[in-house]
């Protein structure tokens, strides 16, 4: 006697019924065979074919390993190609050489070169982090650049006071320009971003004012060398060791920030030995602060580009995002260079 539970009957198949014998049934007569009905079969087939033609054809299943047309923009981006990582190195060398060699020219000619850097910084950084009310940022920044450069060249005695007053006026103009906009979406972000770029614009004007001080230019040279060396070393290390990243969404390595700051400090100390004027100890301490500021600001542009991409607004071209970092780094470093060169590096 066999016993099976109802829930354990999976796989159980009842025995097949016995097949009829080949011989005739009882009585010696075979049952009449059912006549074929070809007309009914043809009609059923025609109905099925007509019904299948009315139904839409099923979509083919996607093949395995086929990439999607629109990849997820929130995923970490791959490391950029080698050719895309060379423009920031070239931009850093050009800006450093221009700030040092341009100080040997007449002040109006130096101001023209600084104005070119200011406008390039405004365009590249605004393109990297696109926000609402871009015309406000560009208009206020360009007007402040012209006014700050004029004050740095013509104001006597040399001081940051007129540049600071113009910066405060730019903040007021930024707030007033928001009232003129037709759409008030992203007002807080637009105001904050515009104020940041206004500070960067006045930072470039600080180099003009610093070049007019008698004993400060040698200290400015060592400070610019520290900032340029720090950015170059950080970017060069990223070519060799791009991993580990500081953030998954930012294509910058963690080793570059540390090594770049150390190289910037060492280069400032060596410049203190070569250039007559700054003491090596003061130049090294000032170079540490300047190099750290330059590297972190350069890294901040990577976060700006990542924020725009995560928001689903796409990304700016690689040359723009790559050059925006050094341009903004030297701009924000300008006030730090002025204060350290005028009040610490040169006693």
């Amino acid at each position: 006697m066999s016993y099976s539970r109802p829930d354990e009957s999976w796989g159980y198949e009842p025995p097949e019924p016995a097949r009829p014998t080949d011989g005739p049934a009882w009585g010696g007569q075979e049952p009449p065979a059912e006549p074929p009905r070809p007309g009914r079969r043809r009609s059923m087939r025609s109905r099925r074919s007509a019904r299948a033609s009315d139904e839409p054809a099923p979509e083919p299943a996607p093949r395995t390993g086929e990439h999607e047309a629109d990849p997820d923009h929130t995923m970490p981006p791959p490391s950029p190609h080698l050719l895309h990582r060379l423009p920031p190195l070239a931009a850093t060398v050009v800006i450093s050489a221009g700030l040092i060699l341009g100080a040997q020219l007449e002040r109006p000619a130096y101001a023209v070169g600084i104005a070119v850097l200011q406008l390039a910084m405004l365009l590249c950084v605004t393109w990297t982090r696109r926000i609402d009310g871009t015309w406000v940022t560009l208009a206020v920044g360009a007007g402040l650049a012209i006014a700050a450069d004029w004050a740095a060249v013509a104001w006597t005695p040399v001081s940051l006071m007129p540049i600071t007053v113009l910066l405060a006026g730019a903040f007021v103009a930024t707030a007033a320009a928001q009232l003129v906009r037709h759409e008030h979406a992203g007002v807080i972000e637009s105001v904050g971003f515009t104020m940041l770029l206004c500070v960067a614009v006045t930072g470039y004007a600080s180099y003009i004012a610093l070049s007019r001080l008698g004993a400060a230019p040698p200290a400015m040279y060592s400070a610019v060398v520290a900032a340029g060396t720090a950015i170059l070393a950080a970017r060069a290390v990223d070519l060799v060791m791009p991993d580990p990243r500081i953030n998954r969404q930012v294509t910058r390595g963690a080793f570059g920030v540390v090594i770049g700051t150390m190289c910037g400090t060492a280069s400032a100390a060596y410049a203190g030995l070569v250039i007559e004027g700054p003491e090596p100890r003061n130049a090294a301490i000032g170079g540490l602060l300047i190099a750290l500021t330059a590297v972190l600001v350069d890294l901040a542009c990577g976060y700006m580009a990542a924020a725009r991409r995560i928001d689903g607004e796409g990304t700016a071209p690689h040359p723009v995002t790559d050059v925006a970092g050094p341009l903004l780094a030297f701009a924000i470093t300008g006030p730090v260079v002025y204060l350290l060169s005028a009040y610490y590096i040169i006693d």
Side-chain angles (χ1 to χ4, degrees):
M1 179 176 180
S2 62
Y3 171 77
S4 63
R5 299 179 184 177
D7 57 345
E8 294 182 355
S9 59
W10 182 83
Y12 172 75
E13 298 181 358
E16 297 182 358
R19 298 180 180 179
T21 57
D22 297 337
W26 291 350
Q29 297 181 357
E30 295 183 358
E34 184 178 359
R37 290 175 290 183
R40 184 178 179 183
R41 291 181 181 178
R42 283 196 297 269
S43 61
M44 292 295 294
R45 291 176 182 175
S46 61
R47 291 177 184 177
R48 291 177 182 176
S49 60
R51 189 178 303 173
S53 62
D54 295 339
E55 296 179 356
E59 297 180 358
R63 293 177 296 178
T64 59
E66 193 173 15
H67 297 286
E68 298 179 357
D70 297 328
D72 189 3
H73 58 271
T74 60
M75 295 298 293
S79 297
H81 193 266
L82 178 62
L83 296 179
H84 296 156
R85 289 181 283 179
L86 295 179
L89 300 176
T92 303
V93 174
V94 171
I95 297 172
S96 302
L99 292 176
I100 295 175
L101 298 179
Q104 314 299 326
L105 303 176
E106 296 294 333
R107 295 300 168 262
Y110 192 33
V112 171
I114 291 295
V116 173
L117 293 178
Q118 289 170 330
L119 296 179
M121 183 270 302
L122 284 173
L123 291 176
C124 292
V125 178
T126 305
W127 198 349
T128 299
R129 183 68 178 105
R130 186 175 58 185
I131 59 173
D132 297 325
T134 306
W135 66 269
V136 176
T137 304
L138 296 178
V140 175
L144 179 60
I146 297 174
D149 293 346
W150 173 83
V153 172
W155 192 269
T156 303
V158 180
S159 174
L160 289 182
M161 182 59 66
I163 299 177
T164 306
V165 173
L166 291 174
L167 179 61
F171 289 170
V172 176
T174 301
Q178 300 299 327
L179 303 176
V180 185
R181 291 177 52 194
H182 298 288
E183 297 180 358
H184 297 285
V187 173
I188 298 178
E189 183 181 8
S190 177
V191 171
F193 187 73
T194 305
M195 290 182 177
L196 171 65
L197 292 190
C198 287
V199 173
V201 165
T202 56
Y204 272 118
S206 301
Y207 292 105
I208 304 175
L210 189 59
S211 65
R212 295 177 57 193
L213 294 177
M220 184 187 73
Y221 302 155
S222 63
V224 171
V225 168
T229 305
I231 298 175
L232 280 176
R235 293 281 187 170
V237 171
D238 288 343
L239 296 177
V240 183
M241 294 182 293
D243 296 319
R245 294 183 179 181
I246 294 180
N247 187 285
R248 295 178 61 198
Q249 302 290 346
V250 181
T251 58
R252 294 294 303 274
F255 292 107
V257 176
V258 179
I259 298 177
T261 304
M262 296 171 61
C263 293
T265 306
S267 64
Y270 182 75
L273 294 174
V274 176
I275 301 175
E276 182 180 357
E279 294 291 334
R281 180 179 63 87
N282 295 343
I285 296 176
L288 172 62
L289 299 177
I290 294 169
L292 183 60
T293 303
V295 170
L296 292 181
V297 174
D298 182 26
L299 180 64
C301 279
Y303 281 88
M304 290 184 186
R308 175 181 171 181
R309 183 179 54 81
I310 293 175
D311 291 343
E313 300 178 358
T315 56
H318 273 290
V320 175
T321 57
D322 296 335
V323 174
L327 284 171
L328 185 62
F330 281 98
I332 299 297
T333 309
V336 182
V337 172
Y338 185 95
L339 295 176
L340 290 176
S341 299
Y343 300 104
Y344 179 75
I345 298 179
I346 299 294
D347 294 332

